[in-house]
Each structure stands twice: as structure tokens, then as C-alpha cells.
Amino acid sequence: MASSLYRLKFVYWLSFLSTFHLIATRSFSFVQPLCHGHERSYLLQFKQSFVINKTASIDPSAYPKVASWTLEGNNSDCCSWDRVECDEFNGHVIGLDLHSSYLYGSINSSSSLFSLVHLRSLNLADNHFNYSQIPSTVSNLSKLTHLNLSGSMFSSQIPLEFSQLSQMSSLDLSLNHLEIKKPSLGHLVENLTRLENLDLSWVSIISIVPNILGNLSSLTSLRLSDCQLNGEFPIGIFKLPNLRVLDVQFNEGLTGYLPDFQWSSPLEEIILANTNLSGKLPSSIGNLGSLTKIDMKSCNFSGFIPSSLGNLTNLNFLDLSFNTFKGHIPSSFGNLIQLSFLSLMDNELTSPIPFEFANLTQLTYVFLYNNFISGQIPSGLMNLTKLSILELAVNDLTGQIPSSIFNLENLELLDLSMNNFTAKVEFDKFVKLKKLTSLHLSDCGVSLSISETSDNTTLQKFQNLGLFRCNLSKFPNFLANQDELTWLDLGDNNIHGQVPEWFWNVSKENLELIDLSYNFLTSLGQHPILLPWTHLAILDLESNKLQGTLPIPSFSTLQYLVSNNSFTGKIPELICNMSSLQVLDLSINNLSGSLPQCLHNFGDSLLILDLRRNAFEGNIPQAWTSGSKLMMINFSQNKFQGLLPRSLARCIMLKALDFSNNQFNDTFPTWLGNLPNLKLLILRSNKFYGPIWTHKAKYKFPSLQIFDLSYNSFTGSLPLKFFQYSNSSRLESANKLTYIQVTSSIDVQNSVINFSWKFQYNYAMIMINKGVVTDYKKVQELFTALDFSSNRFTGDIPEFIGNLNLKGLRLLNLSNNILTGQIPQGLKNLLTQLTFLASFNVSNNHLVGPIPQGKQFNTFPSNSFEGNPGLCGISLTKKCKNSEVSLPSPSTPEESQDLGSPFQFGWKIVLIGYGFGLVVGVTIGQVMIARNQDLFMKTFGMRKLLRGLI
Ligand SMILES: *[C@@H]1O[C@H](CO)[C@@H](O)[C@H](O)[C@H]1NC(C)=O
Ligand SMILES: *[C@@H]1O[C@H](CO)[C@@H](O)[C@H](O)[C@H]1NC(C)=O
Ligand SMILES: *[C@@H]1O[C@H](CO)[C@@H](O)[C@H](O)[C@H]1NC(C)=O
Ligand SMILES: *[C@@H]1O[C@H](CO)[C@@H](O)[C@H](O)[C@H]1NC(C)=O
Ligand SMILES: *[C@@H]1O[C@H](CO)[C@@H](O)[C@H](O)[C@H]1NC(C)=O
């Protein structure tokens, strides 16, 4: 983080140096007047008010410019001092350029600086003024035309006195901790009619953009990046006759539209990224013939990309990513022969890449990730010899990989993942691209053949190899000589047998991600219990046939997945040192023994703990601590015993808790009733007993939706009151298309792009009805199920059941209890409103009277009611005396597909974002601000649809 902040400031810095040329030149042949004595002493006083502190400046070429300001030697002419400029006729000090001078200390209103009243330009950027306020005496410097205080640790409100500096033409107050509240921005600038450059980036303004900016007709550059601006952006600003640079990026509250550009304009850069501007990109943008840069990343624009963009032949940077543009990429782009950066990723673009792209010989970076682009990769690409990044993942590309790609000798990163090619490709062809260090071919339809004979020692050092589902049948030998890999994905190939010995030496210091999942590995071979990769963040071994004891990846590991193997033995105590774990999935193995007492060591980071389907025994440790981030815990299908740990009540983030199929012997955990997010509580098939007290107002289970108590020995009345008290907003916000899931995402280093590995863990569960086991690999947010069957509940089914907040009810099972009375009419009200109740079961009770009539009721087969000798109804052999005529034969309830197909689970997603490293090369001068880093990334694309049932 520190280094990216540094880089970011540095990027900014380059812009600053290129914008200002205030270096004093003294190349005149006539004798200049000596400096004025009083001004000399002001300068010396100013110098003495600071200490020289190397940490005060970040520009690598910084040096203490005031060091030459001294009376020693023959040096009393202050006009000869470094970076002091005097008027050539009257000798007054008119310019000071002390940027990056290691100055550290405060400035207050009595500073001698403000006595230098002849100053016209003052540059103090990149020093550290210790959070000083800008003194109001700045108004003494009434002749100032250029003022640069950028990045110099000023704070608080910008004083009203600025409004008196009416000569001001260039004002840069960016990258401080300043704010503009009262007076407002409009007030401050209304009389600064000569302003040409205004940069207030990072000043906290928190207001609308005043219309008055549209009156500052001299403006050539306006930068208001990351100022927390909101409201509608004034159209008038686009019309400013001299404006060349408009930068309002990172103002997420800013709304508005682009105007119809029916005028000519000198606009060169239009930077609206990360705002909320919306609407169409007007075709008239083609009139802005001077444009070199358009950055509209992460806005709300939609519609088609106008083909008139092809008229902007000076364009070298075009970023329309993260919008909802649709249609095709205009073939007129073939005219953009200056274009070096093109990003259209994360839109809804269709159709093939136009073959006119072959014209774009300056193209260096291409991002088309996550669209619906189809067809073949155009074969004319070989003329794009500058191409360094070609990011085409998550599209519908088909056909062969054109051989022209193998001529792109400057290619560093190629990502074709998640496409539909039908291609056999030799790895050797990629190897010939000597600069290629990141190759992602995961799940794109490519069968990769890797020859055994190539000379591994001369291969380039790869950073990323994404070879998921590439039809590999063994570990590629060349990996043995790779020591700079950070990302190695060999998942879902046909690799059989033992992991080779040399594998434990691959990139020991660098590997952050290893995915060997979905292969046929039987053994990890000889390996230390603690695996050797010191920076490993993700280890995924799931769905192999691995035997032996459980390895412990690096202590730094965040996601550890070994589900669906044959590991045996206890969990090694060493696991207690993995203090950053977010996901621990040991499910579906043959692990045994009791759990280590150290579970609380994960307390601060662990989100998911899945121990399902092993042979663990003993009590669950009491270690759960408050502050826990745990969201899902699955203990089901083990041999746990005893009481549930009461301390689980402290895990207030819990969404899902499954204790089913164990030997817990306890009363109902009413004490979990305060967990605000608990949606799923499954206690099925244990030895729980006793009545369930629902009357305590304190414990309400406000979010509970999936509640399975079946196969226990609960007594007393049905615990339906939990749902009566429940939060009325319970299901309002639930999205029908989302699943109960937890996401853990991790960034993996790459020198050019940020890759982020996002793991979406879908909650899996089993439900049993009428002896049929349904295995849900994921569960919709809306899914609601109540299973109280096979207990000893007594009493009536309460009439209020019809009024419960049970939208989304899919299963209601009250069978095999000792319930008496009638099936309440209220229940009919509840059920008949529902279109998707999948099962209803009250069999084997002591219910009496008629089965309510209604559409939904008629869809339930007789075995939903059988075993109640007192019940009568159409579907039963015992008919009621006055029963209504039955409705036509039942329609099959629309069930299943959208409950989550059993074939989908464990989605993983790769996010990318281009980071600062790239931006340095491409957009020198762009202000990048660290706290907005996250906005460079947005979710897109799902990475894997895994195959196979457990
Ligand atoms: C140097 O500057 C840093 C801030 O950049 C400050 O924390 C530190 O105290 C200063 N050191 C001295 C000796 O003034
Ligand atoms: C701007 O100038 C006008 C006219 O001279 C004056 O009335 C007004 O107060 C000035 N505004 C500010 C903020 O100084
Ligand atoms: C783009 O250029 C073409 C041909 O020069 C011209 O006909 C068209 O009007 C231009 N479009 C715009 C929007 O400038
Ligand atoms: C390629 O660029 C040239 C200008 O250099 C232009 O005349 C031509 O129309 C372009 N070709 C395509 C297919 O866009
Ligand atoms: C690619 O370059 C070659 C040689 O410079 C040229 O003959 C060919 O026309 C170019 N192809 C395209 C599609 O521009």
C-alpha cells in the first residue's frame, strides 16, 4: 500500500513538472540590480522557519533548494540564490520555486513570506507544512499570478482572502487536506476571472459544482478530481471556449449528461471516470476534433458507441469501461491511428472485433474483458507490434487462436480466459514471445500441448499462468525452473497420480495462488507438513483423490480449500498458526479426532468454516470470540457430541449454522436468537430435546428463513412464534437471483494488472422430505423452509400461521409429531398465495377434520396427509361430508431449476483492474488517489462453473 501511494504521488508529480516552468533563468547580458535588503532578510527568515527533513518531499529529484540561501562568501545578492527570480529592472523578488525542497514546518500569518509583496509566482508544492491552515495574509500577495501548493500538507478551510487574488491565472491547491465549505467554491472564484488553470483535486468540497465556473472564460484546465462533488454537472462548463482539460473523476455523487457538442472546442482531455454521469454518448462528440483522451470509466453511460468517435483521429486514450454500452465496436475505430490505450471492458458489447483494428499500429493496451464479443480474433493483428496487453477474457470468442498473435513480440500479458475457442495450441508458440510473462488461457476451449523437450532453462520467467481446464495431463516440467510465478492455476485438468517432488520448489518465495483442484491427484508425495511457499495466499486442492495427512500451507494463507478428497488423521495443531485464514474448507474427507482448541486464533479473519462430512468427534471448543467475522459454519455429518458452545452467540456476523447429523445432546439454542443475520439454522438428526420457549421477547431470530429441527426429541408447541415477531423486512431485500453466499477476495501481484481472486462460497445444505434427500449446492436468498418433522411436538397448528411473514416458503414439514386439531384455514390463506411451495407434509399426526381446499392444496399428494385417521378430503380415502368439488388436475409446481442446480457450486471469479504501474506508462499526469484504489476494480465475470456431483 505504501509503495502504491508513493507511486501515485509520483505520477501526479510528473504532471506537475511538465505543467510549470518557473525555473529562474539568469541569462541576461546586462548587469542586474542587486536584490533589496529587506527582501533578502524576508527570504532568510522564511528559510529559517523550517527544518530540512528528507521525508517532507517525495519527488526523487527533490533537494533542499534553500541551501544556497546564505550570506556567507560573496553571496548576498538574493537574486542569485537558487530558485529566486527577481524583476530584471527593479530587482524585486517576483518568483520563488521551492517545490520538493524538503521544507518541514508550519506557516502562519506572520510568516515573512507574505511580506514579499511583489511575488508573481510561488511554488511550494511537495513539502510538508505540518497541516497549517493557509494564512489569510496570503491576500498580501496581490500580484500573484501562479500559485502552487500542491501536495504540501496544508489543511482546513481555504480562506476567503483568496478571492482577492484577482490576478491569479494558475492555482493549484490539490492533494492537501483542504476543504471548501464557507466561503463556497463559487464565492472563492467568482472574481478570479483570469484563471486559466484551476486544480482543486482532493479538496473536500462536498457540494454541487457552481454554475459560475462556466463564466470563467479563460479556463484552459479544470481539475476537480475526488472533491466529493454532487448534484448535476453544469453543461456550461463543457462550453468554456478555451477549456482543454476537464477532469472531474472520482466524484461518485456527480450526476448529469453530456451535451450535444454542436460547437467546436479545443477540449483535449475529458476525464469523467468514477462519476455518476449517465445517458448516451452523443454522436456529436465527433466534433471535438482535438480530443486526445477520453476517460469515462465506471460511469453510468449506456446506448451505442457512436461511430463518429472514429473521427477523433488525435485520440490516444479511450476508456469506456464499466458502463453499459451495447452494440458493436464501430469499425470507424480503424481511423484512430494514434490510439495506444483502449478499454471497453465490462460493457455489453457484441459482434466480432472489427478487422479494421489491424490499422491501429500504436495500440499498446487493449482491454475488452467481460463483454459478449463473438467471432474470431482478427488475423490482421500482427501489425500491432507495440501491443503489450491483450485482455480478451470473458467473451464469446470462437475459432482458432490466429497465428498473428504469435508475432506480437512486445506482448507481456495475454488473457483469453473464459471464451469458446476450439483450438489446439503448442505452448512453445507462446514461449517465443519473450516478453510474455502472464498467460491466462483458463477455460477458453484451448487444449494446450506442452513439449517435454524444450530447453527449460532459457524460458522467460512467467508471473502468471492461468491454465485451468486446458486439457493438461501432467505437471508441465518447465515449471521446475520458474521462480517468479505468483499465480499458478492448473485446476480442472487431467493430471493423475502423485505431485512430483520438484513441485515443492517452484517459486517458493513468490507463489501466492496455487490451484490444483479438480484433477485426479492421489498423493502430495513427500512434503513437509508445513508447505514451503512463504507468501501463499490461496491453496485450492479440492476434488482430487488426495490421501494422507492434511498439509498446512503457509501461515499467511487466506483461503485453504481441500474439500472432497480422502485426507485422514487429525487436523494438525500447526493450523493454529494460520492467523489470517478467511476460508477453511475441509469438508468431505475422512478427517477425525477432536478439533484443535485454537479455533479462536482464526477469530478475527475467518469467514467460512466448513467441516462437513468428516469423522470429527468430541465437543466443539468453546473458543468463539466476539469480533469474529464468521458468516458460515458447517459442522454437519460428523460425530460431535455434548453441548453446543454458548460462545457462538458472540459471532454476530453469522448467516448460516449447520449442526445436522451429529450427536449433540442439548436443549434448543434460544441463545442464538439475537444473531441479527442468522438465516439458516439446521439441527436435524441429533439428540436435541425439550420444549422450545418462544415467548421470550429477547430472542427473536429476526432473519431466520431455513429452520430445520427434524429428527430430534423436541416437545411442546411448534416454535412458530419466532416468525411472528420477526423482522418484517426479512425478505424484502432478498434478491431472488442471489444465493446465500460469502465472498472472500484476494489480490495477487502482477506488474501490470491487478488480478483479484474472488471466491464466492455458496452455502450448501441437505433437506429431507418423505425420505427423499435433496442436496442443494447453493441456496437462494429467498428460500424459506420450515422442517419440524419427526419430533414430539404437541398441540394445534396455530391459526396465526396464515399471517406469518413466510414469503418464499418452499417447504413446510410438520409430519411425524403429535399435533392435534384441524388444519387451520389460515394456513390455506398462506399457501394459496404462494406459487412455489414445493412440499407440504403433515402426515402422521393426530389431525382431524377436512383438508382445506384450494389450488395449492390440491397439488399435494395424499401422502402429505396420511397417517391422520381423523382427516378427510378429496385426496384421501376418507371423504368429507360436505366437501367441495375438486379443481382440475394439479399443475406441476415450477420447482427446482432456480433452487440451484446440483451441478454448480464454488464459483470463483477473477477480477482485474489496471493499476498504477500501468497508468504511469500511459497517462502521465493523471491524478490517482489511493483511497479510491478500490474503484479501479469492479466485479465482473464468473470464472468457473465446476463440474461433478460430490
Ligand atoms: C520529518 O517529517 C516527518 C513527516 O514527514 C515528521 O513526522 C518528523 O517528525 C520530521 N522530523 C523532524 C526531525 O522534524
Ligand atoms: C467580487 O467583486 C464584486 C465587485 O467588485 C464584489 O462586490 C464582491 O464582493 C466580490 N466577491 C468576493 C467574494 O470577493
Ligand atoms: C465524421 O466524419 C465524416 C467524414 O469525414 C463526416 O461525414 C461526419 O459528419 C463526421 N461526424 C461527426 C460527428 O463529426
Ligand atoms: C486505416 O487507416 C488509414 C489512414 O491511415 C485509412 O485511410 C483507412 O481507411 C484505415 N483503414 C480502415 C480499414 O479503417
Ligand atoms: C501489415 O503490415 C504489412 C507490412 O508492413 C503490410 O503489407 C500490410 O498491409 C499490413 N496489414 C494491415 C492489415 O494493415
Side-chain angles (χ1 to χ4, degrees), residues 123-148:
N123 185 349
L124 298 175
D126 189 27
N127 290 290
H128 194 312
F129 297 115
N130 201 16
Y131 307 99
S132 301
Q133 238 178 305
I134 299 177
S136 55
T137 40
V138 71
S139 61
N140 295 356
L141 307 180
S142 61
K143 294 184 175 158
L144 272 183
T145 59
H146 291 73
L147 177 62
N148 187 346

PDB file of all heavy atoms in Angstrom, residues 123-148:
ATOM      1  N   ASN A 123       5.797  28.683  -5.844  1.00  0.00           N
ATOM      2  CA  ASN A 123       5.588  27.238  -5.930  1.00  0.00           C
ATOM      3  C   ASN A 123       6.195  26.574  -4.705  1.00  0.00           C
ATOM      4  O   ASN A 123       7.405  26.556  -4.520  1.00  0.00           O
ATOM      5  CB  ASN A 123       6.265  26.705  -7.210  1.00  0.00           C
ATOM      6  CG  ASN A 123       5.982  25.230  -7.428  1.00  0.00           C
ATOM      7  OD1 ASN A 123       5.464  24.555  -6.532  1.00  0.00           O
ATOM      8  ND2 ASN A 123       6.323  24.734  -8.608  1.00  0.00           N
ATOM      9  N   LEU A 124       5.321  26.045  -3.836  1.00  0.00           N
ATOM     10  CA  LEU A 124       5.779  25.371  -2.616  1.00  0.00           C
ATOM     11  C   LEU A 124       5.351  23.904  -2.618  1.00  0.00           C
ATOM     12  O   LEU A 124       5.315  23.262  -1.568  1.00  0.00           O
ATOM     13  CB  LEU A 124       5.190  26.071  -1.387  1.00  0.00           C
ATOM     14  CG  LEU A 124       5.578  27.540  -1.178  1.00  0.00           C
ATOM     15  CD1 LEU A 124       4.829  28.129   0.012  1.00  0.00           C
ATOM     16  CD2 LEU A 124       7.091  27.665  -0.961  1.00  0.00           C
ATOM     17  N   ALA A 125       5.039  23.397  -3.776  1.00  0.00           N
ATOM     18  CA  ALA A 125       4.486  22.047  -3.844  1.00  0.00           C
ATOM     19  C   ALA A 125       5.458  21.005  -3.296  1.00  0.00           C
ATOM     20  O   ALA A 125       6.674  21.192  -3.309  1.00  0.00           O
ATOM     21  CB  ALA A 125       4.158  21.699  -5.297  1.00  0.00           C
ATOM     22  N   ASP A 126       4.909  19.912  -2.810  1.00  0.00           N
ATOM     23  CA  ASP A 126       5.697  18.764  -2.347  1.00  0.00           C
ATOM     24  C   ASP A 126       6.666  19.127  -1.225  1.00  0.00           C
ATOM     25  O   ASP A 126       7.857  18.850  -1.297  1.00  0.00           O
ATOM     26  CB  ASP A 126       6.436  18.116  -3.534  1.00  0.00           C
ATOM     27  CG  ASP A 126       7.080  16.794  -3.145  1.00  0.00           C
ATOM     28  OD1 ASP A 126       6.591  16.130  -2.205  1.00  0.00           O
ATOM     29  OD2 ASP A 126       8.094  16.432  -3.775  1.00  0.00           O
ATOM     30  N   ASN A 127       6.158  19.817  -0.217  1.00  0.00           N
ATOM     31  CA  ASN A 127       6.875  19.990   1.043  1.00  0.00           C
ATOM     32  C   ASN A 127       5.915  19.561   2.144  1.00  0.00           C
ATOM     33  O   ASN A 127       4.840  19.031   1.841  1.00  0.00           O
ATOM     34  CB  ASN A 127       7.298  21.452   1.209  1.00  0.00           C
ATOM     35  CG  ASN A 127       8.403  21.814   0.228  1.00  0.00           C
ATOM     36  OD1 ASN A 127       9.538  21.356   0.361  1.00  0.00           O
ATOM     37  ND2 ASN A 127       8.062  22.616  -0.783  1.00  0.00           N
ATOM     38  N   HIS A 128       6.294  19.769   3.386  1.00  0.00           N
ATOM     39  CA  HIS A 128       5.408  19.324   4.465  1.00  0.00           C
ATOM     40  C   HIS A 128       5.185  20.478   5.431  1.00  0.00           C
ATOM     41  O   HIS A 128       6.021  20.749   6.283  1.00  0.00           O
ATOM     42  CB  HIS A 128       6.049  18.129   5.179  1.00  0.00           C
ATOM     43  CG  HIS A 128       5.103  17.388   6.084  1.00  0.00           C
ATOM     44  ND1 HIS A 128       4.292  18.021   6.997  1.00  0.00           N
ATOM     45  CD2 HIS A 128       4.832  16.061   6.203  1.00  0.00           C
ATOM     46  CE1 HIS A 128       3.574  17.108   7.645  1.00  0.00           C
ATOM     47  NE2 HIS A 128       3.879  15.912   7.177  1.00  0.00           N
ATOM     48  N   PHE A 129       4.053  21.161   5.272  1.00  0.00           N
ATOM     49  CA  PHE A 129       3.773  22.311   6.119  1.00  0.00           C
ATOM     50  C   PHE A 129       2.917  21.929   7.318  1.00  0.00           C
ATOM     51  O   PHE A 129       2.180  22.757   7.865  1.00  0.00           O
ATOM     52  CB  PHE A 129       3.183  23.452   5.285  1.00  0.00           C
ATOM     53  CG  PHE A 129       4.150  23.951   4.243  1.00  0.00           C
ATOM     54  CD1 PHE A 129       3.882  23.809   2.896  1.00  0.00           C
ATOM     55  CD2 PHE A 129       5.376  24.482   4.625  1.00  0.00           C
ATOM     56  CE1 PHE A 129       4.798  24.238   1.941  1.00  0.00           C
ATOM     57  CE2 PHE A 129       6.300  24.901   3.675  1.00  0.00           C
ATOM     58  CZ  PHE A 129       6.021  24.779   2.332  1.00  0.00           C
ATOM     59  N   ASN A 130       3.017  20.696   7.688  1.00  0.00           N
ATOM     60  CA  ASN A 130       2.547  20.269   9.004  1.00  0.00           C
ATOM     61  C   ASN A 130       1.100  20.662   9.294  1.00  0.00           C
ATOM     62  O   ASN A 130       0.773  21.104  10.377  1.00  0.00           O
ATOM     63  CB  ASN A 130       3.501  20.877  10.057  1.00  0.00           C
ATOM     64  CG  ASN A 130       3.439  20.137  11.364  1.00  0.00           C
ATOM     65  OD1 ASN A 130       2.922  19.024  11.414  1.00  0.00           O
ATOM     66  ND2 ASN A 130       3.957  20.750  12.410  1.00  0.00           N
ATOM     67  N   TYR A 131       0.257  20.451   8.310  1.00  0.00           N
ATOM     68  CA  TYR A 131      -1.186  20.689   8.466  1.00  0.00           C
ATOM     69  C   TYR A 131      -1.526  22.131   8.818  1.00  0.00           C
ATOM     70  O   TYR A 131      -2.541  22.408   9.451  1.00  0.00           O
ATOM     71  CB  TYR A 131      -1.794  19.725   9.488  1.00  0.00           C
ATOM     72  CG  TYR A 131      -1.480  18.291   9.177  1.00  0.00           C
ATOM     73  CD1 TYR A 131      -0.435  17.635   9.835  1.00  0.00           C
ATOM     74  CD2 TYR A 131      -2.172  17.609   8.196  1.00  0.00           C
ATOM     75  CE1 TYR A 131      -0.114  16.318   9.520  1.00  0.00           C
ATOM     76  CE2 TYR A 131      -1.855  16.300   7.878  1.00  0.00           C
ATOM     77  CZ  TYR A 131      -0.818  15.665   8.548  1.00  0.00           C
ATOM     78  OH  TYR A 131      -0.499  14.391   8.231  1.00  0.00           O
ATOM     79  N   SER A 132      -0.680  23.082   8.389  1.00  0.00           N
ATOM     80  CA  SER A 132      -1.000  24.500   8.605  1.00  0.00           C
ATOM     81  C   SER A 132      -2.259  24.860   7.840  1.00  0.00           C
ATOM     82  O   SER A 132      -2.540  24.295   6.785  1.00  0.00           O
ATOM     83  CB  SER A 132       0.113  25.395   8.053  1.00  0.00           C
ATOM     84  OG  SER A 132       1.335  25.125   8.659  1.00  0.00           O
ATOM     85  N   GLN A 133      -2.947  25.856   8.361  1.00  0.00           N
ATOM     86  CA  GLN A 133      -4.003  26.491   7.572  1.00  0.00           C
ATOM     87  C   GLN A 133      -3.330  27.432   6.575  1.00  0.00           C
ATOM     88  O   GLN A 133      -2.243  27.940   6.869  1.00  0.00           O
ATOM     89  CB  GLN A 133      -4.879  27.313   8.504  1.00  0.00           C
ATOM     90  CG  GLN A 133      -6.316  26.896   8.448  1.00  0.00           C
ATOM     91  CD  GLN A 133      -7.138  27.682   9.414  1.00  0.00           C
ATOM     92  OE1 GLN A 133      -6.838  27.716  10.608  1.00  0.00           O
ATOM     93  NE2 GLN A 133      -8.185  28.304   8.889  1.00  0.00           N
ATOM     94  N   ILE A 134      -3.941  27.665   5.452  1.00  0.00           N
ATOM     95  CA  ILE A 134      -3.368  28.679   4.564  1.00  0.00           C
ATOM     96  C   ILE A 134      -3.706  30.030   5.193  1.00  0.00           C
ATOM     97  O   ILE A 134      -4.885  30.354   5.359  1.00  0.00           O
ATOM     98  CB  ILE A 134      -3.956  28.584   3.139  1.00  0.00           C
ATOM     99  CG1 ILE A 134      -3.642  27.217   2.543  1.00  0.00           C
ATOM    100  CG2 ILE A 134      -3.384  29.701   2.271  1.00  0.00           C
ATOM    101  CD1 ILE A 134      -4.237  27.004   1.156  1.00  0.00           C
ATOM    102  N   PRO A 135      -2.686  30.837   5.577  1.00  0.00           N
ATOM    103  CA  PRO A 135      -2.979  32.078   6.311  1.00  0.00           C
ATOM    104  C   PRO A 135      -3.735  33.088   5.444  1.00  0.00           C
ATOM    105  O   PRO A 135      -3.514  33.161   4.234  1.00  0.00           O
ATOM    106  CB  PRO A 135      -1.585  32.627   6.677  1.00  0.00           C
ATOM    107  CG  PRO A 135      -0.649  31.476   6.512  1.00  0.00           C
ATOM    108  CD  PRO A 135      -1.231  30.621   5.433  1.00  0.00           C
ATOM    109  N   SER A 136      -4.582  33.856   6.097  1.00  0.00           N
ATOM    110  CA  SER A 136      -5.378  34.824   5.334  1.00  0.00           C
ATOM    111  C   SER A 136      -4.494  35.932   4.767  1.00  0.00           C
ATOM    112  O   SER A 136      -4.864  36.605   3.808  1.00  0.00           O
ATOM    113  CB  SER A 136      -6.467  35.424   6.223  1.00  0.00           C
ATOM    114  OG  SER A 136      -5.859  35.979   7.365  1.00  0.00           O
ATOM    115  N   THR A 137      -3.285  36.095   5.337  1.00  0.00           N
ATOM    116  CA  THR A 137      -2.378  37.120   4.809  1.00  0.00           C
ATOM    117  C   THR A 137      -1.884  36.788   3.404  1.00  0.00           C
ATOM    118  O   THR A 137      -1.169  37.581   2.803  1.00  0.00           O
ATOM    119  CB  THR A 137      -1.166  37.301   5.753  1.00  0.00           C
ATOM    120  OG1 THR A 137      -0.762  36.008   6.213  1.00  0.00           O
ATOM    121  CG2 THR A 137      -1.500  38.176   6.926  1.00  0.00           C
ATOM    122  N   VAL A 138      -2.285  35.634   2.889  1.00  0.00           N
ATOM    123  CA  VAL A 138      -1.949  35.320   1.505  1.00  0.00           C
ATOM    124  C   VAL A 138      -2.449  36.445   0.587  1.00  0.00           C
ATOM    125  O   VAL A 138      -1.898  36.684  -0.482  1.00  0.00           O
ATOM    126  CB  VAL A 138      -2.525  33.945   1.102  1.00  0.00           C
ATOM    127  CG1 VAL A 138      -4.041  33.997   0.969  1.00  0.00           C
ATOM    128  CG2 VAL A 138      -1.877  33.416  -0.160  1.00  0.00           C
ATOM    129  N   SER A 139      -3.477  37.179   1.051  1.00  0.00           N
ATOM    130  CA  SER A 139      -4.030  38.248   0.213  1.00  0.00           C
ATOM    131  C   SER A 139      -3.055  39.415   0.062  1.00  0.00           C
ATOM    132  O   SER A 139      -3.240  40.269  -0.802  1.00  0.00           O
ATOM    133  CB  SER A 139      -5.360  38.740   0.780  1.00  0.00           C
ATOM    134  OG  SER A 139      -5.154  39.250   2.072  1.00  0.00           O
ATOM    135  N   ASN A 140      -1.996  39.471   0.920  1.00  0.00           N
ATOM    136  CA  ASN A 140      -0.949  40.493   0.714  1.00  0.00           C
ATOM    137  C   ASN A 140      -0.263  40.302  -0.637  1.00  0.00           C
ATOM    138  O   ASN A 140       0.289  41.235  -1.198  1.00  0.00           O
ATOM    139  CB  ASN A 140       0.140  40.388   1.794  1.00  0.00           C
ATOM    140  CG  ASN A 140      -0.397  40.715   3.172  1.00  0.00           C
ATOM    141  OD1 ASN A 140      -1.560  41.091   3.300  1.00  0.00           O
ATOM    142  ND2 ASN A 140       0.436  40.581   4.180  1.00  0.00           N
ATOM    143  N   LEU A 141      -0.251  39.094  -1.107  1.00  0.00           N
ATOM    144  CA  LEU A 141       0.488  38.802  -2.345  1.00  0.00           C
ATOM    145  C   LEU A 141      -0.432  39.070  -3.536  1.00  0.00           C
ATOM    146  O   LEU A 141      -0.759  38.183  -4.324  1.00  0.00           O
ATOM    147  CB  LEU A 141       0.986  37.349  -2.345  1.00  0.00           C
ATOM    148  CG  LEU A 141       1.786  36.940  -1.095  1.00  0.00           C
ATOM    149  CD1 LEU A 141       2.234  35.477  -1.196  1.00  0.00           C
ATOM    150  CD2 LEU A 141       2.998  37.845  -0.906  1.00  0.00           C
ATOM    151  N   SER A 142      -0.852  40.318  -3.652  1.00  0.00           N
ATOM    152  CA  SER A 142      -1.943  40.619  -4.577  1.00  0.00           C
ATOM    153  C   SER A 142      -1.522  40.552  -6.040  1.00  0.00           C
ATOM    154  O   SER A 142      -2.348  40.621  -6.929  1.00  0.00           O
ATOM    155  CB  SER A 142      -2.519  41.996  -4.267  1.00  0.00           C
ATOM    156  OG  SER A 142      -1.468  42.943  -4.435  1.00  0.00           O
ATOM    157  N   LYS A 143      -0.214  40.426  -6.289  1.00  0.00           N
ATOM    158  CA  LYS A 143       0.220  40.353  -7.680  1.00  0.00           C
ATOM    159  C   LYS A 143       0.371  38.921  -8.182  1.00  0.00           C
ATOM    160  O   LYS A 143       0.761  38.706  -9.335  1.00  0.00           O
ATOM    161  CB  LYS A 143       1.559  41.081  -7.835  1.00  0.00           C
ATOM    162  CG  LYS A 143       1.429  42.568  -7.580  1.00  0.00           C
ATOM    163  CD  LYS A 143       2.716  43.303  -7.835  1.00  0.00           C
ATOM    164  CE  LYS A 143       2.480  44.808  -7.680  1.00  0.00           C
ATOM    165  NZ  LYS A 143       3.728  45.524  -7.395  1.00  0.00           N
ATOM    166  N   LEU A 144       0.082  37.961  -7.280  1.00  0.00           N
ATOM    167  CA  LEU A 144       0.288  36.556  -7.652  1.00  0.00           C
ATOM    168  C   LEU A 144      -0.497  36.178  -8.901  1.00  0.00           C
ATOM    169  O   LEU A 144      -1.704  36.420  -8.991  1.00  0.00           O
ATOM    170  CB  LEU A 144      -0.152  35.623  -6.522  1.00  0.00           C
ATOM    171  CG  LEU A 144       0.869  35.248  -5.441  1.00  0.00           C
ATOM    172  CD1 LEU A 144       0.231  34.257  -4.480  1.00  0.00           C
ATOM    173  CD2 LEU A 144       2.138  34.665  -6.051  1.00  0.00           C
ATOM    174  N   THR A 145       0.190  35.596  -9.838  1.00  0.00           N
ATOM    175  CA  THR A 145      -0.498  35.020 -10.991  1.00  0.00           C
ATOM    176  C   THR A 145      -0.421  33.498 -10.971  1.00  0.00           C
ATOM    177  O   THR A 145      -1.286  32.833 -11.523  1.00  0.00           O
ATOM    178  CB  THR A 145       0.114  35.512 -12.313  1.00  0.00           C
ATOM    179  OG1 THR A 145       1.492  35.151 -12.342  1.00  0.00           O
ATOM    180  CG2 THR A 145      -0.039  37.019 -12.460  1.00  0.00           C
ATOM    181  N   HIS A 146       0.627  32.938 -10.354  1.00  0.00           N
ATOM    182  CA  HIS A 146       0.794  31.489 -10.296  1.00  0.00           C
ATOM    183  C   HIS A 146       1.032  31.057  -8.858  1.00  0.00           C
ATOM    184  O   HIS A 146       1.978  31.528  -8.225  1.00  0.00           O
ATOM    185  CB  HIS A 146       1.997  31.040 -11.136  1.00  0.00           C
ATOM    186  CG  HIS A 146       1.783  31.202 -12.606  1.00  0.00           C
ATOM    187  ND1 HIS A 146       1.774  32.424 -13.230  1.00  0.00           N
ATOM    188  CD2 HIS A 146       1.558  30.272 -13.578  1.00  0.00           C
ATOM    189  CE1 HIS A 146       1.556  32.257 -14.519  1.00  0.00           C
ATOM    190  NE2 HIS A 146       1.417  30.955 -14.763  1.00  0.00           N
ATOM    191  N   LEU A 147       0.204  30.185  -8.374  1.00  0.00           N
ATOM    192  CA  LEU A 147       0.398  29.680  -7.012  1.00  0.00           C
ATOM    193  C   LEU A 147       0.217  28.176  -7.028  1.00  0.00           C
ATOM    194  O   LEU A 147      -0.803  27.663  -7.470  1.00  0.00           O
ATOM    195  CB  LEU A 147      -0.617  30.318  -6.055  1.00  0.00           C
ATOM    196  CG  LEU A 147      -0.553  29.803  -4.602  1.00  0.00           C
ATOM    197  CD1 LEU A 147       0.800  30.100  -3.974  1.00  0.00           C
ATOM    198  CD2 LEU A 147      -1.667  30.430  -3.759  1.00  0.00           C
ATOM    199  N   ASN A 148       1.238  27.488  -6.530  1.00  0.00           N
ATOM    200  CA  ASN A 148       1.152  26.032  -6.474  1.00  0.00           C
ATOM    201  C   ASN A 148       1.497  25.560  -5.071  1.00  0.00           C
ATOM    202  O   ASN A 148       2.634  25.671  -4.625  1.00  0.00           O
ATOM    203  CB  ASN A 148       2.121  25.411  -7.488  1.00  0.00           C
ATOM    204  CG  ASN A 148       1.945  23.912  -7.591  1.00  0.00           C
ATOM    205  OD1 ASN A 148       1.286  23.301  -6.741  1.00  0.00           O
ATOM    206  ND2 ASN A 148       2.525  23.310  -8.605  1.00  0.00           N
TER     207      ASN A 148
END
